[in-house]
Amino acid sequence: MPESKLSQFFLMKELKFLSTGSWRQGRIWTCEKLRTGAEVCPRCATPSTCRYGVAYTNVRDEVVRGQPILLRIRKHRYLCKVCRKPFTEAVPGILPRRRTTQRLRKQMLLDCEQFTNLSQVAHRHYFSKSFVHRLFYEQMELRLRERVGQRWPQVVGIDEHFFSRSKGFTEFTTVFTDIGRRKMFEMAESKNKSSLLEQVGQIEGRQNVTLAVMDLSRGYHALAKELFPNARIVADKFHVLRLLTPALIRVRRQIHGHRQELHLRRKLLMNRGRLEYFQRCEVDRYLNQHPELKELYHFKERLHQLYRTKGYVRAGQALQNLLLEMERSTQPDVVRLRATLKAWSPEILEYFRSRFTNAFTEAMNGIAKLVQRRGCGYRNFKNYRLRTLNACPL
Ligand SMILES: [Zn+2]
C-alpha cells in the first residue's frame, strides 16, 4: 500500500493528505484541512467565505510504528468583513497556539501513568523530559482544580507519614481522609499545628466535621480541637491495642539478649483469641518460665478484651475496671499505659459509639509510600501532593 493511503488512515479525519518526506527519525506529512464552506471568525463569530491566502503550521502528532510524525498543515486564511481583519481557520483536535495535537497529549498522559518513569515517556514520544514533566504536572493540577471549593467531610481521619530527609531533618506529611465515603481528602506539609492550620484552615465547612479519628498523638489532638470545633475525637483502635507491643518486645530481648525465636514473639503479640489451642498452651508454658513478661501479656490481652465489649456504657465500665486493676501493678510500663489510657479515655470510649477506625487513612499512607518508592523519593512537596492525590481515590 502506498504511504499516501496509509498516512490518510492515520491522519485525523478532518485532514487530507498531500505529500510526505523524512524528518529527523520520523516522517513529515504535509496535509490540509478539508473545506467545509464558511469559516467562523474567532473574534466575532461571524462566518466568512472571503479567502485571504494560506499559512503553514507544524504540529506534532502521535507516534506511528515507532516513528515520530510531524504534521505540516496547510491552513486557509479568511478575511472577516466585520472586524476587517484576516484570521486562520482552526483545525478540530488542535487547540489554538498548541504545537501538539490533543490525541498526542492524551496518549502521553496515559503513558505517564503507565510507564515507570517520565524519562521513558519522553524517549518513546521523542520529546524532551522537561516537556513531558510540564505536560503531566499541568494536567494533574487541572484535574485537582475540579475539587476546589469542596467542604470538609463529616468524618475526618488524620495521620502522618514520612516525607523526606533531604533538608537534614525528618519532614512529615499529614493526610486528611474522608472516612465515611472512603476517599482521600487533602495532604499538607509537616505535622506542626500552626503550619497545618495555615495550610488547611481556609477550607470551608469546618463546623460540619462531627468526628475526627486519629492515633494517640497530642499534636493532632490539639489541632483537631482548634480546627474542628464541633468534632468529637476518636482514638484509633489499632494504635491503642499496640501500646504495649514495644514493652513486650523490649522485655523479651532483655531476657534472651537477641530478637530470635520469632515464631513465639509473633504469638505473644497476636490476639489470643486467634491462636489455636496448642499454640495457647505453648505461650502459657513460655510465660510461666518468664514471669516478668506475664503481667505485660495479661494487660495486653485485657486491652483486646476491652475492645470486644459491645456498647458505650459497658465499655466505659470495662475501662474503669481495667484502670482499677492496673492501679495495683508496679511495672513501669503498665503504670505508663494506665496514664495513657486515663488521659485518652473519652477518645477511646468514643470508638464504642461511632465504630470508626483509621484503617482507611493507613491504607492511603500505603499508597503514598508506593508513590514515593516509584519516584525514588520527592524533594518538592507540591509535586508529591499532586502525584499522591491523583493516585488515591478522590
Ligand atoms: Zn470578525
Side-chain angles (χ1 to χ4, degrees):
M1 206 188 273
E3 195 181 342
S4 60
K5 276 205 170 167
L6 267 178
S7 313
Q8 187 61 60
F9 172 72
F10 284 115
L11 273 177
M12 292 182 284
K13 64 176 188 297
E14 294 85 5
L15 295 175
K16 192 179 128 203
F17 180 81
L18 296 176
S19 69
T20 174
S22 64
W23 170 76
R24 293 193 194 167
Q25 302 99 319
R27 309 293 295 168
I28 178 166
W29 292 345
T30 311
C31 45
E32 71 177 346
K33 194 189 157 187
L34 289 173
R35 295 193 54 197
T36 50
E39 283 293 328
V40 173
C41 168
R43 293 185 201 90
C44 64
T46 316
S48 164
T49 48
C50 178
R51 300 289 289 272
Y52 201 81
V54 291
Y56 284 90
T57 50
N58 294 336
V59 177
R60 281 286 306 274
D61 203 359
E62 275 182 308
V63 168
V64 175
R65 296 189 67 191
Q67 293 191 336
I69 301 294
L70 182 71
L71 301 181
R72 187 166 161 75
I73 305 175
R74 188 170 181 269
K75 283 178 165 181
H76 304 287
R77 277 166 71 74
Y78 293 86
L79 182 74
C80 173
K81 284 178 178 162
V82 181
C83 308
R84 298 187 171 205
K85 275 180 182 164
F87 65 92
T88 313
E89 66 186 358
V91 180
I94 304 169
L95 293 186
R97 284 185 285 282
R98 282 267 164 88
R99 294 280 176 202
T100 42
T101 60
Q102 283 303 98
R103 63 179 192 184
L104 168 65
R105 294 172 88 88
K106 214 167 146 190
Q107 183 61 50
M108 282 175 71
L109 286 172
L110 213 69
D111 289 350
C112 283
E113 273 163 11
Q114 301 291 319
F115 288 16
T116 44
N117 55 46
L118 296 188
S119 313
Q120 282 186 3
V121 183
H123 189 75
R124 159 94 179 122
H125 291 274
Y126 300 89
F127 274 106
S128 70
K129 280 184 219 167
S130 63
F131 174 76
V132 178
H133 192 274
R134 203 172 61 232
L135 177 78
F136 185 41
Y137 279 91
E138 253 173 32
Q139 191 57 37
M140 283 199 292
E141 201 160 0
L142 274 178
R143 225 184 280 166
L144 286 189
R145 217 173 280 170
E146 293 167 12
R147 301 170 66 246
V148 164
Q150 66 168 356
R151 301 165 71 79
W152 283 103
Q154 276 203 326
V155 186
V156 177
I158 310 175
D159 203 3
E160 97 244 326
H161 64 257
F162 168 82
F163 170 53
S164 150
R165 210 170 282 123
S166 64
K167 284 183 192 161
F169 53 90
T170 311
E171 290 173 87
F172 287 92
T173 302
T174 302
V175 171
F176 297 91
T177 55
D178 179 351
I179 297 185
R181 275 177 289 183
R182 298 181 74 72
K183 285 189 164 118
M184 185 78 165
F185 184 73
E186 187 52 274
M187 267 171 79
E189 208 172 353
S190 100
K191 54 176 184 177
N192 180 298
K193 187 180 128 195
S194 54
S195 155
L196 286 174
L197 279 176
E198 213 171 277
Q199 291 176 73
V200 296
Q202 77 289 353
I203 301 178
E204 295 281 312
R206 291 193 284 154
Q207 287 77 16
N208 289 353
V209 182
T210 53
L211 283 175
V213 190
M214 62 180 67
D215 49 16
L216 307 173
S217 117
R218 278 286 148 211
Y220 285 150
H221 192 279
L223 173 79
K225 280 271 170 233
E226 192 162 336
L227 195 58
F228 312 124
N230 300 332
R232 285 170 296 156
I233 294 168
V234 185
D236 182 38
K237 173 183 166 186
F238 170 76
H239 286 92
V240 175
L241 284 177
R242 66 185 295 283
L243 279 173
L244 273 178
T245 303
L248 269 167
I249 292 175
R250 200 190 58 241
V251 174
R252 239 187 73 81
R253 200 166 61 203
Q254 279 164 3
I255 293 169
H256 298 284
H258 57 71
R259 288 159 34 125
Q260 279 148 27
E261 288 182 73
L262 277 171
H263 69 287
L264 237 163
R265 187 177 90 159
R266 198 167 301 135
K267 278 170 204 153
L268 275 180
L269 298 179
M270 258 174 85
N271 183 354
R272 193 179 169 88
R274 289 172 62 188
L275 294 177
E276 303 278 341
Y277 170 71
F278 64 89
Q279 290 177 321
R280 283 203 294 271
C281 292
E282 196 183 354
V283 169
D284 287 343
R285 260 201 312 279
Y286 177 82
L287 287 173
N288 282 331
Q289 286 165 18
H290 305 287
E292 56 270 55
L293 271 173
K294 206 169 177 177
E295 195 178 4
L296 285 177
Y297 186 81
H298 169 72
F299 283 116
K300 189 214 81 178
E301 276 311 310
R302 291 283 282 123
L303 282 178
H304 279 285
Q305 211 178 9
L306 170 69
Y307 272 98
R308 281 196 290 271
T309 322
K310 298 268 188 308
Y312 182 77
V313 181
R314 278 191 199 172
Q317 197 56 51
L319 186 61
Q320 279 308 318
N321 291 343
L322 180 58
L323 289 175
L324 276 176
E325 197 180 321
M326 279 178 171
E327 213 170 8
R328 273 173 257 143
S329 171
T330 48
Q331 165 86 321
D333 292 304
V334 178
V335 174
R336 204 175 308 132
L337 173 69
R338 182 171 183 274
T340 312
L341 289 184
K342 209 171 168 187
W344 285 85
S345 48
E347 288 81 11
I348 292 173
L349 290 178
E350 195 55 55
Y351 164 78
F352 295 92
R353 190 145 49 188
S354 61
R355 295 259 153 198
F356 279 110
T357 70
N358 228 359
F360 179 73
T361 316
E362 302 289 345
M364 292 304 100
N365 275 349
I367 294 181
K369 273 172 199 158
L370 284 180
V371 169
Q372 282 188 13
R373 283 297 292 156
R374 202 168 154 197
C376 303
Y378 281 76
R379 263 179 258 173
N380 183 331
F381 177 76
K382 200 179 142 209
N383 289 348
Y384 175 57
R385 174 178 167 272
L386 284 177
R387 221 41 232 265
T388 311
L389 287 184
N390 270 290
C392 292
L394 283 172

